[in-house]
Amino acid sequence: MKPNNKRKFSFIETTAEKLGLIKKLRNNGNFAEIPRLTEPDKLTNYPPPEKWNDWEEYESKKWPNKVKKKYFIVPTTCFNCEAACGLLTYVDKETLEVRKFEGNPYHPASRGRNCAKGPATINQLKDVDRILYPLKRVGKRGEGRWERVSWDSVLDDIAGRIRKAMNENRHNEIVYHVGRPGHEGYMERVLQSWGIDGHNSHTNICSAGARFGYAIWQGYDRPSPDYANADFILLISSHLETGHYFNPHAQRIIEAKMRGAKIAVMDPRLSNTASMADYWMPTYPGTEPAVLLSMAKVMLDEGLYNREFIHDWVNWQDYKPTFEDFINELKSEYSKFTPEFAEKESGVPAETIVNTARLIGRAGSRFSCHTWRSAASGNLGGWQVSRCIHFLSVLTGSVGTYGGTLPSSWNKFKPKFFDIPPAQKFWNELSWPIEYPLTHYEMSHLLPHFLKEGRGKLDVYFTRVFNPVWTYPDGFTWIEALTDESKIGLHIALTPTWNETAYYADYVLPMGHASERHDINSYETHAGVWIAFRQPVMREVAKRMGKNVKFTYEVNPGEVWEEDEFWIELSWRIDPDGSLGIKRHFKSPYRKGEKITVDEYYQYIFENVPGLTEISKKENLTPLEYMRKYGTFEVEKNVYEKHKRALTQKEMEGTSVDPKTNLVLKDGKTIGVVINGKAVEGFPTPSRRQEFFSKTMIEWGWSEYTLPGYIKSHIHSDEMDRDKGDFCLVPTFRLPTLIHTRSGNAKWLVEIAHRNPVWIHTSDAERLGLKNGDLVRVNTDIGYFIDKVWVTEGMRPGVIACSHHIGRWRRTQDQANNRWATNLVNIEQIEKGKWKMRLIQQITPFKSGDNDTERIFWQDGGVHQNITFPVHPDPISGMHCWHQKVRVEKPRPEDKYGDVFVDTNRSFHIYKEWVNMTRPPKGDLRRPMWMNRPLKPVPEAYRIQKSEVRSQNKNLCLHSEFYIVYFYVYLLTCSTDKF
Ligand code: SF4
């Protein structure tokens, strides 16, 4: 089809043309023809790879003149969320400037498409407030004064400090704390080579709740829904616009919808996802398990379950003597979850619950579902949300099926490393405290409280793309810990951008954005396995131009480096003579005795990816060259039902089969199970089946939760005094264009979203006498924040919500940074533990090398709400339960927009209250051996030393004894049932 070059011009354009204010728009009645570089109809295609070395486009800024520009196109991956979508970087061949990012069509998950945050990477590269050089603090920590230092001095100083700590046997004082991960085992290998138990993460403020619910069923702690092939999709939360892996997932959810699949969404907020659903179920927060169990009841009562799957793959034998007994027991156990009961709890009409349950039952093995963060991370007992949603997968037999929900590990590639250090001998109690044997994973949100109560100290503390002062609950307690040098000896912030935690560092070390660093990525975005390569694109450009680069900072802006090389150099300097046994883990597999290079590290991994060498050879490339050229490789397509994989003859050598359990045993470990006469892999649980009945829960003191169930949340309606203005605050929702700290420095994204008002239902607003835009004081258990309200029908009555991706700040003494999004604030400790924050200045335009900074039209930078929340560690999963019981009132005379007040004495008190809800192990193990944990130490480290049991846990142990007695009584009851 010929393009239509005739165009009507507006009155303004015509007048401007006549006045000579703009160039001639017309050429003999038609506007000037622009010759095409590509054929018509080809415009939507991506540049073909054979032209990636010399791609030609017209220069957009020269329009309407026709000026051609030549580009190198280099693939990398996005670093703005966990999905790692493919990006193509356009580098101007003349100026060697990165001009833009577009999607990489070869990436199997993102398939050439990105969300807004992908192309906005260019904003981060060109951010006028970037940190370009390593900085060292001058004066007191947090004072805001810095000096530029060399990488050499940084490495020597940190290495010397770590070496000293190791020589003095203070290994547990060295900790690496990661916010945004995404390098598939790189850092774990480094820490293990150092022999320390020093990995800490953000999991417990993110996904620990969901993980535990999945893990207790099947060992795997994440789901991988095969959305594209599903007939019915059940989503808890807003997976279309903000979910985990949301661009790859959103594509596949919409594909299913276009094919005719039905979608149901549970969310108290009318999110974009809920608005696209066939069924929106605005559940009262925390009541999701009641609804899910009610669906299970309907499916059981109406025979809408998969007998064969349940018979073969559920551990019913651990619970009841016959399968029929088991089914009857299921019906009886869940009989109380009537749709009417679920309606009363959740507010979702009973009829909707029944209808969706029937559709789920009928979808059978093509029922796909997902919960992540959201309800599982908001509520006390939130882990039962994922446990109950997975129960529906089990009932329908959709575990691991085409169109079902797969375990994540089946769809994730595990790289093979050139060297695997031995497991560490230490157990770090500051990350894995004795009170939380089942936690998934490190109790990172309790770290400042642990330091406060003297459980230990940190000598070298790395924070990596990690901003707990702003992202975590109880940020003022973090500030107290970070400013106390007796608790944290040296704080090193590895970060591409300034953030509220980096203000309290000793070193701020600039690390690259997406196109300035190496990482490999592999995620469970669909029923396949892929790897992608994040690479520093200017390094590849230099190579194409025939230049040698030793370190990535030579080609990045300023002296921005990357972590891979930083850790190699640091490790080498910690152990200069090799006596600590560290250096040997950083020697080249290709050049004897020499230090490994980053190229060699990835060369080894890519040479060991099945199928990659063969495909590379076809293009006369090495696997590394292939990955540098295309940026991605599909390892496996259509991965389903791996639990049915028959054990190989080699695997079966030296095994025995337990006649009672049918477990296949080798060297004292279970490696599979015999199902219908065939030895297969099964699931990584003690029974090798799906564990409906959890012996683990009994053995670790929680026998009341042996089955999927419903725990009333800490923000249940019963807890609310509505007349006094009590609400459940949902503080967890994401804005589609922002991700925590990561996306803050992107001007396009902040332009789209820069406020976080409190969503409130019309009826609630009316009751409280509030209009759109009015100020409110939102009182939490430890303080308050002053925000505006947004009155909407899109919120469930009785619940309010506020996004936590806005409300960034800087103080007057801090370096100018992220001025698109940060309010200038004053922070004052008015008396010990009582902290007050007040806005000095909102967002304002400013002069810089980027003209857009003078075009900022918004002033409102939002309010920092997370800092007003106490920690709420779930006693089992360890998850921080984000939802808050708040009291909403009209502002007092002294209140101003953006005010924040917190009493950290009170937050310490609440921390103690929640810790007292746990049950530490009674036996001599710290944690079930079968459960995952990052960086598993040697088995002996799992053993509890008697001296380690703290006096403050004595009463908790007594508590635990009660449950052991309870357990035996319970077992007795079970046996009576059996015989
Ligand atoms: S979903 Fe968006 S932010 Fe996340 S990796 Fe993909 S493009 Fe980047």
Side-chain angles (χ1 to χ4, degrees):
M1 200 173 79
K2 257 196 119 172
N4 178 11
N5 287 341
K6 302 216 171 176
R7 183 187 144 206
K8 285 189 177 162
F9 297 100
S10 69
F11 170 74
I12 294 174
E13 283 174 312
T14 309
T15 313
E17 185 189 19
K18 279 188 182 151
L19 292 173
L21 297 177
I22 57 172
K23 290 191 178 167
K24 287 276 177 214
L25 295 168
R26 293 164 178 80
N27 182 7
N28 295 331
N30 290 329
F31 78 94
E33 286 254 346
I34 298 177
R36 291 180 174 278
L37 287 178
T38 55
E39 290 305 308
D41 302 339
K42 294 279 159 96
L43 260 184
T44 51
N45 285 355
Y46 297 87
E50 60 274 15
K51 292 191 180 171
W52 285 7
N53 237 352
D54 200 25
W55 178 246
E56 209 171 57
E57 277 187 5
Y58 286 118
E59 168 60 48
S60 56
K61 286 192 173 171
K62 299 284 183 198
W63 186 88
N65 295 327
K66 292 160 283 179
V67 177
K68 288 179 186 174
K69 273 270 173 203
K70 289 190 177 244
Y71 294 94
F72 287 114
I73 295 182
V74 186
T76 187
T77 63
C78 181
F79 192 32
N80 277 341
C81 89
E82 59 283 347
C85 297
L87 292 176
L88 292 183
T89 319
Y90 288 64
V91 181
D92 186 323
K93 287 185 92 165
E94 196 183 323
T95 61
L96 296 185
E97 183 195 0
V98 176
R99 290 295 305 276
K100 64 174 175 179
F101 292 92
E102 291 190 344
N104 180 356
Y106 291 94
H107 193 292
S110 58
R111 305 181 291 192
R113 294 174 240 168
N114 298 107
C115 78
K117 298 186 288 297
T121 301
I122 191 72
N123 296 162
Q124 297 166 326
L125 260 54
K126 293 173 190 273
D127 172 20
V128 293
D129 292 336
R130 274 197 82 163
I131 315 164
L132 291 171
Y133 300 96
L135 299 172
K136 187 177 183 185
R137 102 171 130 93
V138 182
K140 278 196 189 150
R141 200 182 282 165
E143 216 174 69
R145 292 193 294 130
W146 303 89
E147 64 178 2
R148 182 177 160 183
V149 286
S150 70
W151 279 115
D152 233 17
S153 68
V154 169
L155 289 166
D156 280 342
D157 186 21
I158 301 172
R161 192 147 181 153
I162 293 176
R163 186 167 57 246
K164 185 165 186 294
M166 286 177 174
N167 284 332
E168 291 169 5
N169 210 20
R170 293 183 284 113
H171 293 71
N172 279 348
E173 291 184 15
I174 306 160
V175 167
Y176 163 84
H177 207 151
V178 60
R180 169 63 40 229
H183 46 193
E184 298 311 310
Y186 188 101
M187 201 54 214
E188 286 80 351
R189 205 198 73 85
V190 170
L191 295 171
Q192 228 148 24
S193 74
W194 293 4
I196 62 171
D197 194 29
H199 186 274
N200 209 335
S201 68
H202 74 275
T203 307
N204 271 43
I205 58 125
C206 177
S207 56
R211 283 172 191 267
F212 184 76
Y214 285 114
I216 202 72
W217 260 113
Q218 56 176 359
Y220 302 111
D221 64 1
R222 300 167 84 125
S224 175
D226 185 25
Y227 289 132
N229 300 305
D231 282 348
F232 194 94
I233 296 174
L234 174 61
L235 304 170
I236 299 183
S237 185
S238 51
H239 294 268
L240 260 184
E241 77 269 31
T242 63
H244 215 241
Y245 313 132
F246 76 88
N247 162 43
H249 274 177
Q251 294 180 25
R252 291 162 174 88
I253 293 170
I254 292 299
E255 274 169 26
K257 188 173 167 69
M258 287 167 73
R259 225 185 357 87
K262 296 283 178 231
I263 301 176
V265 171
M266 285 188 204
D267 195 332
R269 203 173 55 88
L270 182 61
S271 63
N272 295 355
T273 310
S275 70
M276 296 294 288
D278 300 279
Y279 300 90
W280 174 36
M281 296 189 267
T283 34
Y284 183 85
T287 62
E288 295 81 1
V291 176
L292 295 164
L293 293 177
S294 178
M295 289 173 171
K297 173 185 158 47
V298 172
M299 289 157 67
L300 284 163
D301 288 348
E302 300 188 11
L304 295 167
Y305 56 90
N306 186 327
R307 278 182 75 86
E308 191 188 333
F309 179 84
I310 299 171
H311 180 272
D312 289 352
W313 287 107
V314 172
N315 70 333
W316 56 265
Q317 298 90 338
D318 289 339
Y319 188 45
K320 291 288 157 190
T322 71
F323 185 63
E324 287 314 319
D325 285 349
F326 174 68
I327 293 290
N328 289 336
E329 181 61 26
L330 278 184
K331 289 181 183 170
S332 147
E333 175 70 28
Y334 296 107
S335 60
K336 55 185 176 282
F337 290 95
T338 61
E340 292 69 33
F341 167 77
E343 174 176 338
K344 187 174 146 283
E345 286 296 286
S346 68
V348 177
E351 198 189 339
T352 312
I353 295 171
V354 173
N355 286 343
T356 45
R358 286 178 181 153
L359 289 170
I360 290 169
R362 285 181 203 131
S365 64
R366 292 180 73 172
F367 163 62
S368 193
C369 58
H370 199 178
T371 183
W372 202 246
R373 308 191 190 105
S374 167
S377 66
N379 298 289
L380 174 70
W383 54 275
Q384 287 278 26
V385 177
S386 47
R387 198 182 190 195
C388 291
I389 202 171
H390 189 73
F391 186 22
L392 301 186
S393 298
V394 171
L395 285 176
T396 48
S398 58
V399 179
T401 56
Y402 179 81
T405 307
L406 293 74
S408 57
S409 307
W410 295 0
N411 301 145
K412 195 169 161 71
F413 183 75
K414 276 207 168 66
K416 185 172 173 198
F417 298 121
F418 71 100
D419 165 273
I420 302 170
Q424 73 276 15
K425 299 190 185 90
F426 301 93
W427 185 284
N428 197 329
E429 272 279 323
L430 288 177
S431 305
W432 300 91
I434 203 158
E435 295 97 323
Y436 292 92
L438 301 178
T439 176
H440 267 68
Y441 291 119
E442 303 93 344
M443 297 298 292
S444 67
H445 50 313
L446 303 190
L447 179 62
H449 288 293
F450 289 164
L451 294 172
K452 195 171 193 168
E453 63 184 11
R455 292 194 185 199
K457 68 188 266 289
L458 300 176
D459 190 43
V460 181
Y461 182 50
F462 294 97
T463 52
R464 187 258 185 173
V465 194
F466 180 57
N467 185 11
V469 169
W470 185 73
T471 317
Y472 270 47
D474 209 2
F476 282 118
T477 296
W478 277 92
I479 292 177
E480 287 173 359
L482 288 166
T483 45
D484 186 341
E485 290 181 40
S486 70
K487 294 188 171 63
I488 298 176
L490 184 72
H491 172 206
I492 304 136
L494 306 165
T495 173
T497 57
W498 277 107
N499 63 51
E500 289 80 348
T501 302
Y503 303 154
Y504 301 95
D506 299 302
Y507 281 114
V508 173
L509 305 182
M511 295 292 160
H513 287 293
S515 58
E516 299 167 340
R517 53 180 298 118
H518 285 94
D519 289 315
I520 47 168
N521 319 116
S522 179
Y523 298 116
E524 60 279 10
T525 52
H526 60 283
V529 181
W530 54 268
I531 50 164
F533 194 26
R534 187 175 288 143
Q535 63 175 331
V537 299
M538 293 312 295
R539 195 169 171 138
E540 171 62 9
V541 165
K543 197 167 139 271
R544 290 188 197 176
M545 293 170 72
K547 290 185 192 152
N548 275 334
V549 174
K550 187 173 179 206
F551 292 122
T552 297
Y553 61 67
E554 295 164 20
V555 289
N556 275 346
E559 284 180 14
V560 171
W561 206 0
E562 62 162 311
E563 282 142 33
D564 285 6
E565 288 181 340
F566 173 81
W567 295 121
I568 294 171
E569 293 305 309
L570 185 65
S571 304
W572 200 264
R573 292 190 200 204
I574 293 170
D575 189 18
D577 57 5
S579 58
L580 291 174
I582 295 173
K583 199 172 183 175
R584 67 192 159 99
H585 300 297
F586 296 88
K587 287 188 178 165
S588 165
Y590 304 103
R591 295 171 299 121
K592 202 165 183 304
E594 302 282 314
K595 194 193 301 174
I596 190 167
T597 64
V598 74
D599 268 347
E600 288 171 334
Y601 177 82
Y602 288 104
Q603 179 184 342
Y604 187 90
I605 288 176
F606 294 142
E607 282 172 353
N608 286 283
V609 175
L612 182 53
T613 303
E614 292 71 22
I615 200 165
S616 310
K617 268 190 191 152
K618 285 187 190 161
E619 296 201 26
N620 261 339
L621 298 172
T622 65
L624 177 63
E625 286 167 344
Y626 181 95
M627 290 302 285
R628 290 217 183 275
K629 179 175 176 186
Y630 292 100
T632 181
F633 175 67
E634 188 164 41
V635 184
E636 225 179 326
K637 275 187 207 291
N638 300 323
V639 181
Y640 296 106
E641 304 201 321
K642 281 183 94 166
H643 58 296
K644 292 183 180 169
R645 182 186 69 81
L647 295 178
T648 61
Q649 223 170 1
K650 188 150 190 280
E651 284 172 316
M652 287 301 287
E653 278 169 20
T655 59
S656 61
V657 175
D658 183 321
K660 211 166 152 213
T661 60
N662 279 341
L663 289 171
V664 182
L665 303 164
K666 190 174 187 172
D667 303 330
K669 288 184 185 155
T670 57
I671 63 158
V673 61
V674 176
I675 302 284
N676 298 325
K678 195 168 145 194
V680 293
E681 184 177 320
F683 298 93
T685 58
S687 67
R688 284 273 156 185
R689 296 175 171 91
Q690 295 280 317
E691 301 217 332
F692 169 77
F693 173 83
S694 174
K695 275 189 194 163
T696 302
M697 294 304 285
I698 299 172
E699 288 162 4
W700 292 81
W702 299 97
S703 50
E704 67 271 49
Y705 303 134
T706 47
L707 309 181
Y710 172 41
I711 298 172
K712 281 193 177 178
S713 174
H714 63 299
I715 45 80
H716 190 270
S717 290
D718 294 351
E719 305 295 322
M720 304 288 163
D721 188 337
R722 299 289 177 195
D723 293 337
K724 291 193 170 144
D726 285 357
F727 283 88
C728 163
L729 168 67
V730 172
T732 44
F733 76 90
R734 270 183 180 177
L735 298 167
T737 50
L738 295 177
I739 301 273
H740 311 290
T741 305
R742 276 298 299 140
S743 53
N745 297 56
K747 60 184 179 185
W748 298 340
L749 303 179
V750 185
E751 184 179 6
I752 298 169
H754 40 261
R755 297 177 295 158
N756 62 340
V758 173
W759 292 36
I760 187 166
H761 189 262
T762 337
S763 58
D764 289 325
E766 207 174 283
R767 188 163 53 83
L768 297 178
L770 295 169
K771 296 189 307 305
N772 216 8
D774 280 356
L775 289 188
V776 278
R777 180 191 273 231
V778 182
N779 295 289
T780 66
D781 275 347
I782 60 169
Y784 63 82
F785 63 96
I786 311 293
D787 201 350
K788 293 171 188 159
V789 290
W790 186 50
V791 181
T792 170
E793 290 283 314
M795 195 65 226
R796 191 196 185 287
V799 184
I800 56 174
C802 184
S803 166
H804 68 135
H805 293 263
I806 293 287
R808 304 294 308 276
W809 49 264
R810 65 185 198 280
R811 306 159 305 162
T812 44
Q813 67 263 47
D814 296 320
Q815 308 252 320
N817 73 83
N818 194 14
R819 283 173 281 174
W820 314 99
T822 51
N823 293 310
L824 194 63
V825 300
N826 181 48
I827 293 179
E828 222 188 326
Q829 193 170 184
I830 44 184
E831 59 183 87
K832 196 166 183 312
K834 296 199 169 145
W835 293 85
K836 183 128 209 251
M837 184 191 296
R838 171 152 280 183
L839 300 190
I840 301 174
Q841 188 184 64
Q842 291 186 283
I843 316 294
T844 49
F846 59 97
K847 277 195 191 310
S848 76
D850 178 350
N851 290 339
D852 281 347
T853 60
E854 292 178 67
R855 300 184 182 118
I856 295 176
F857 62 83
W858 60 95
Q859 290 95 45
D860 193 345
V863 182
H864 187 188
Q865 60 163 343
N866 288 10
I867 203 163
T868 66
F869 304 156
V871 291
H872 289 158
D874 182 89
I876 296 175
S877 70
M879 176 76 221
H880 168 63
C881 307
W882 274 104
H883 294 345
Q884 305 286 316
K885 176 186 168 184
V886 294
R887 188 154 288 182
V888 176
E889 59 175 301
K890 289 199 170 175
R892 299 180 191 173
E894 69 274 20
D895 290 342
K896 290 205 165 115
Y897 178 62
D899 277 1
V900 164
F901 171 78
V902 170
D903 180 353
T904 55
N905 304 310
R906 178 95 189 111
S907 69
F908 186 70
H909 177 75
I910 290 178
Y911 147 75
K912 293 292 249 184
E913 274 180 10
W914 279 70
V915 172
N916 281 337
M917 289 158 65
T918 59
R919 295 173 196 167
K922 181 65 183 167
D924 63 351
L925 281 183
R926 296 175 191 275
R927 179 176 180 79
M929 299 288 286
W930 72 271
M931 281 196 143
N932 279 338
R933 67 150 276 192
L935 225 69
K936 272 194 169 185
V938 294
E940 304 81 71
Y942 277 70
R943 304 233 161 263
I944 301 168
Q945 308 300 316
K946 277 219 165 85
S947 57
E948 287 177 280
V949 182
R950 292 186 181 77
S951 54
Q952 72 254 39
N953 293 328
K954 273 185 187 160
N955 52 352
L956 295 171
C957 291
L958 287 172
H959 204 56
S960 174
E961 267 159 23
F962 167 79
Y963 283 97
I964 296 293
V965 173
Y966 181 96
F967 166 49
Y968 284 115
V969 173
Y970 181 88
L971 280 186
L972 218 59
T973 324
C974 286
S975 341
T976 319
D977 273 2
K978 268 186 188 171
F979 306 107

